[in-house]
């Protein structure tokens, strides 16, 4: 997930910086999950819609019983968050 997100940043975001954050987190129900965040200061506009590269990434995260969210308004910044069972 991190490699693909950073590759997308390099190809499409026109970003000057990107950051990766990985941590264990606890949900309200007490379950532990792995939270992986990739953020950039680029132009935004990333989309999880089918036909876009991020849709495949979301499918792979879902295959691990996880979820991927994307916040990427036009004009940026972009934040991808994957939450996976620990």
């Amino acid at each position: 997930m991190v490699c693909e997100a950073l590759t997308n940043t390099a190809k499409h975001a026109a970003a000057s910086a990107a950051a990766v954050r990985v941590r264990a987190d606890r949900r309200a129900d007490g379950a532990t999950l792995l939270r992986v965040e990739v953020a950039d200061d680029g132009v935004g506009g990333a989309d999880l819609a089918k036909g876009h590269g991020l849709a495949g990434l979301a499918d792979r995260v879902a295959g691990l019983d996880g979820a991927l969210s994307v916040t990427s308004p036009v004009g940026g910044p972009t934040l991808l968050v994957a939450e996976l069972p620990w």
Side-chain angles (χ1 to χ4, degrees), residues 12-13 40-46 71-78:
H12 307 294
D40 70 57
D41 64 353
V43 297
T71 305
S72 185
V74 173
T78 296

Side-chain angles (χ1 to χ4, degrees), residues 4-15 18 40:
E4 186 163 338
L6 291 174
T7 297
N8 286 345
T9 297
K11 285 183 177 179
H12 307 294
D40 70 57

